[in-house]
Amino acid sequence: MKHISIKDVAKEAGVSTTTVSYVLNRKLSQTISAETTERILQAVRKLNYVPNLNARSLTSQRTNLIGVVIPQTEPGKEFMFANPFYGELLSTIEYTARRNGYHLLLSGPDPDQSYSQIARNRSVDGIIIVGSYPNRSITELHQLSVPVVLVDTYIKDPLFHTIGIDDREGGLLATRYLIERGHREIAFVSGSVSEQGVTQKRFMGYMDALNEAGLALNEKRLYLGTVSFDFAQSVAEEMQQRGNQETAAFATADILGMGLIKGMRRLGRRIPEDLSIVGFDDLDLACMSDPSLTTVHQDIAEKGRNAVQIILDAMEGHTEKQEHILPIRLVERESVRRI
Amino acid sequence: MKHISIKDVAKEAGVSTTTVSYVLNRKLSQTISAETTERILQAVRKLNYVPNLNARSLTSQRTNLIGVVIPQTEPGKEFMFANPFYGELLSTIEYTARRNGYHLLLSGPDPDQSYSQIARNRSVDGIIIVGSYPNRSITELHQLSVPVVLVDTYIKDPLFHTIGIDDREGGLLATRYLIERGHREIAFVSGSVSEQGVTQKRFMGYMDALNEAGLALNEKRLYLGTVSFDFAQSVAEEMQQRGNQETAAFATADILGMGLIKGMRRLGRRIPEDLSIVGFDDLDLACMSDPSLTTVHQDIAEKGRNAVQIILDAMEGHTEKQEHILPIRLVERESVRRI
DNA sequence: TTGAAAGCGCTAACAG
DNA sequence: CTGTTAGCGCTTTCAA
């Protein structure tokens, strides 16, 4: 089946390609007679013509493409979605984008290829970066002259929009909640605490709560690994080996909280009787466990919608830098007990 | 920052754009002097030139773009990833594609816009469709002359490649397993059984197992709704109201199995003592519940890799239709007891 | 071993 | 109200 182009339409309708283009783009400056318009529309339908956006972008300078980068668990590994958080987020990003006539170019971070290169390759209209990456790969994006939205990172950059939550406050809420319920020995279970990532802030919140209560930080309470179910399970074992000195744990991601619950159960320990747990994110997951997970809620869908909206706004000329901090709150479920 | 094009490179290197193009594409037919090549490469580096793939696609007929369609729970709704299955699948698709120099154009099915239109718009090189859709939207894809891979659907089409598992066999395995353990009243919990979707086949497998054992189908054992955690929870309640006549349930998705477990627990019933459950998919999720879920395992990662590989092969000229059926097996965990 | 020129599909001054 | 023309960035004959 031959590719049919605007030329074919023009020929069919007996007009020039220019006129077809005008009609198709509803140029307000141009005014085409109703009759011609109709003839062209008919030709379009008859030939089942669909414009080639790549060609269009060549002249029009816009692609209606938004690039999205989602992290992977390990560099070069495939399973970037092991944590359902990203699925939930991507879902709303895709939906919002599509509702506004944009498509998504999805990619994981690639050690072999800078994302700025991909973005230029495809000349995307905007970029949404989820998670924290080496500073270098972020500043590279300066070369592009398209709006960039950084989701969930504390990288400071005067040019890029950001959207996130108050992670430190979240850490504080979670830990304080445990302290208020009588807990003193509180584990901090988390992926690695990277420089500008969210976990660092959540850790600071953890500290804030300890300080507030006059408790000292005990380094033995820190369990740092990867943001994965398996790691959290192994933490349960490690706690056991160390004599189960904690009565509570703050897990900086629900997936970690889930792993802890499971790990404890496998060791014959009860939640929350033997260990109280607070998670973070409030994924669908949090309701699935038994007991269900008390956790810090954030509005993932809103994050996604916002990210896209910022790009759309920027395309409309709203160039001033935006910094959104979405509200969070603690959701009480069943994984914490008062002692 | 100005867009820098092949022209700029040519000027910088003191050659024609043709030569630059040759060097960049390592045309074997063309042979460029080492010296010139070096000069050009230097210019590329100096100017930080990145080719514009959209422009390239105009002449070269390939975009190195693969279109991916992932279903949504409800038409026009956003949360296509409510079921982590899709996240896991998409993850490997993205990874495999990227490793092979392809990018992903991600989209949900849109009632307002046929996917074939999007695909033509962007002139993707191949299409991966996950899940089952109305026949119409699939046959529309005939207009395109690019390889199409249908994942997890039983739509018969002589032109499209398919990849899936033996869902009927899966349903059989699951149900037979329960029967072998003494269960006679086995609920079938599932999303709606659509014409060419996987659940229909899984249902047939369920029936096969019943027949095999000389058991009659009891329509009261059928709980059909949506593939969601919440629906499965409500099924638990419905079972209760009907007097808990089932001793076991076959849930056609792990997420449903999870919901059942939770729903039962909330009603004070025990798994597997009061109800044995077998799921389907073997998501990460299946290990997270307590008890962990006995389920029909399928290799999701392999599905993703295969889907991409079929496209790559097709691009290489392997046009014969491919039909892959990936192996499955039952994974025994803790959610089933012998009675 | 290299370059001129045409063309991919589309848009946008500028004329008419 | 419509068409001519040039050009977006790139590839590819064809000729030199």
Side-chain angles (χ1 to χ4, degrees), chain A residues 86-143:
Chain A
Y86 298 108
E88 295 192 19
L89 182 64
L90 181 57
S91 170
T92 56
I93 291 179
E94 194 278 331
Y95 180 74
T96 313
R98 183 151 38 88
R99 288 290 83 173
N100 288 281
Y102 282 74
H103 294 150
L104 247 47
L105 186 72
L106 179 67
S107 179
D110 198 323
D112 301 349
Q113 192 183 20
S114 81
Y115 189 72
S116 107
Q117 199 164 108
I118 299 182
R120 284 215 280 156
N121 263 334
R122 302 279 180 197
S123 39
V124 298
D125 285 344
I127 302 179
I128 298 175
I129 308 264
V130 183
S132 225
Y133 302 96
N135 249 308
R136 217 177 92 307
S137 37
I138 297 296
T139 46
E140 265 184 0
L141 295 173
H142 281 166
Q143 316 174 354

Side-chain angles (χ1 to χ4, degrees), chain B residues 111-311:
Chain B
D112 301 350
Q113 193 184 16
S114 79
Y115 189 72
S116 106
Q117 203 166 105
I118 299 183
R120 284 216 280 156
N121 264 333
R122 303 279 180 195
S123 39
V124 299
D125 285 344
I127 303 179
I128 298 175
I129 310 263
V130 183
S132 226
Y133 301 96
N135 250 308
R136 216 180 94 303
S137 36
I138 297 296
T139 46
E140 265 185 0
L141 295 173
H142 281 166
Q143 314 174 358
L144 313 228
S145 44
V146 299
V148 173
V149 178
L150 269 23
V151 179
D152 280 341
T153 181
Y154 286 88
I155 292 175
K156 286 288 171 226
D157 191 301
L159 289 170
F160 300 153
H161 310 285
T162 58
I163 169 165
I165 56 177
D166 189 338
D167 290 284
R168 184 167 183 165
E169 174 76 6
L172 173 64
L173 286 180
T175 314
R176 182 194 280 156
Y177 180 84
L178 289 168
I179 293 174
E180 283 172 357
R181 269 144 199 82
H183 297 278
R184 292 296 172 267
E185 298 299 337
I186 303 173
F188 178 83
V189 182
S190 156
S192 66
V193 176
S194 80
E195 202 45 57
Q196 286 150 322
V198 296
T199 46
Q200 194 203 26
K201 300 291 176 183
R202 293 176 193 176
F203 176 64
M204 293 173 82
Y206 169 80
M207 297 272 282
D208 291 344
L210 293 184
N211 288 336
E212 199 176 75
L215 300 170
L217 170 68
N218 180 346
E219 301 225 340
K220 293 213 172 124
R221 299 288 164 263
L222 270 31
Y223 299 84
L224 306 183
T226 61
V227 185
S228 69
F229 184 81
D230 289 344
F231 167 67
Q233 278 205 111
S234 73
V235 168
E237 286 165 25
E238 198 174 338
M239 285 178 168
Q240 176 97 303
Q241 282 163 16
R242 296 197 193 165
N244 288 322
Q245 305 184 314
E246 294 91 351
T247 65
F250 167 37
T252 61
D254 282 350
I255 190 112
L256 291 168
M258 299 288 289
L260 266 184
I261 292 179
K262 182 73 180 190
M264 285 291 161
R265 280 289 179 87
R266 284 175 48 173
L267 297 170
R269 310 192 74 221
R270 300 272 116 192
I271 310 293
E273 290 76 6
D274 297 328
L275 187 78
S276 290
I277 301 176
V278 176
F280 206 112
D281 286 343
D282 197 17
L283 304 183
D284 290 343
L285 226 50
C287 296
M288 298 190 190
S289 62
D290 183 55
S292 56
L293 194 63
T294 292
T295 190
V296 176
H297 172 90
Q298 61 167 314
D299 193 339
I300 301 177
E302 189 59 22
K303 255 186 184 169
R305 271 181 240 118
N306 258 275
V308 175
Q309 194 56 54
I310 290 176
I311 304 247

Side-chain angles (χ1 to χ4, degrees), chain A residues 232-243:
Chain A
Q233 279 205 114
S234 74
V235 167
E237 287 165 25
E238 196 175 339
M239 286 179 169
Q240 175 99 304
Q241 282 162 14
R242 297 198 194 163

Side-chain angles (χ1 to χ4, degrees), chain A residues 83 85 152 154 165-175 188-189 198-199 201-203 205 227 249-258 277-283 285-286 293-300 303 328-330:
Chain A
N83 188 339
F85 174 84
D152 281 341
Y154 286 88
I165 56 176
D166 189 337
D167 290 283
R168 184 167 184 167
E169 174 77 7
L172 174 63
L173 286 180
T175 314
F188 178 83
V189 182
V198 297
T199 46
K201 300 290 177 184
R202 293 176 193 176
F203 176 64
V227 185
F250 166 37
T252 61
D254 282 350
I255 190 112
L256 290 169
M258 300 287 291
I277 301 176
V278 177
F280 207 113
D281 286 344
D282 198 16
L283 304 184
L285 226 51
L293 195 62
T294 291
T295 191
V296 177
H297 172 91
Q298 61 167 315
D299 193 338
I300 301 176
K303 255 185 184 170
I328 53 174
R329 65 170 196 279
L330 195 119

Side-chain angles (χ1 to χ4, degrees), chain B residues 307-337:
Chain B
V308 175
Q309 194 56 54
I310 290 176
I311 304 247
L312 299 179
D313 289 349
M315 304 274 314
E316 301 282 298
H318 301 237
T319 50
E320 70 278 16
K321 169 172 167 152
Q322 308 219 45
E323 294 185 71
H324 292 194
I325 310 243
L326 267 35
I328 53 174
R329 65 171 196 277
L330 195 118
V331 178
E332 298 193 58
R333 295 211 180 85
E334 311 162 344
S335 60
V336 174
R337 73 156 187 146

Side-chain angles (χ1 to χ4, degrees), chain A residues 48 51 53-54 63-64 76 78 81 87 91-92 94-95 103-104 106 108 120-123 262 265 289-290, chain B residues 48 51 53-54 63-64 76 78 81 87 91-92 94-95 103-104 106 108 120-123 262 265 289-290:
Chain A
N48 191 13
L53 296 189
N54 292 328
T63 52
N64 277 47
E78 48 193 279
F81 290 120
S91 170
T92 56
E94 194 278 331
Y95 180 74
H103 294 150
L104 247 47
L106 179 67
R120 284 215 280 156
N121 263 334
R122 302 279 180 197
S123 39
K262 181 73 181 189
R265 280 289 178 86
S289 62
D290 183 53
Chain B
N48 192 13
L53 297 188
N54 293 329
T63 52
N64 278 49
E78 47 193 281
F81 290 121
S91 170
T92 55
E94 195 278 330
Y95 180 74
H103 294 149
L104 248 46
L106 179 69
R120 284 216 280 156
N121 264 333
R122 303 279 180 195
S123 39
K262 182 73 180 190
R265 280 289 179 87
S289 62
D290 183 55

Side-chain angles (χ1 to χ4, degrees), chain A residues 240 261-271 274:
Chain A
Q240 175 99 304
I261 292 179
K262 181 73 181 189
M264 284 291 161
R265 280 289 178 86
R266 284 176 48 174
L267 297 170
R269 309 192 75 220
R270 301 271 114 195
I271 310 292
D274 297 327

Side-chain angles (χ1 to χ4, degrees), chain A residues 173-234:
Chain A
L173 286 180
T175 314
R176 182 194 279 156
Y177 180 85
L178 289 168
I179 293 174
E180 282 172 357
R181 271 146 197 81
H183 298 277
R184 291 296 171 268
E185 298 299 337
I186 304 173
F188 178 83
V189 182
S190 156
S192 66
V193 177
S194 79
E195 203 45 57
Q196 288 150 321
V198 297
T199 46
Q200 194 203 27
K201 300 290 177 184
R202 293 176 193 176
F203 176 64
M204 293 173 81
Y206 168 79
M207 296 272 281
D208 291 345
L210 293 184
N211 288 336
E212 200 176 75
L215 300 170
L217 169 67
N218 180 346
E219 301 226 338
K220 293 216 172 123
R221 299 289 165 265
L222 272 31
Y223 298 84
L224 306 184
T226 61
V227 185
S228 69
F229 184 81
D230 289 343
F231 167 67
Q233 279 205 114
S234 74

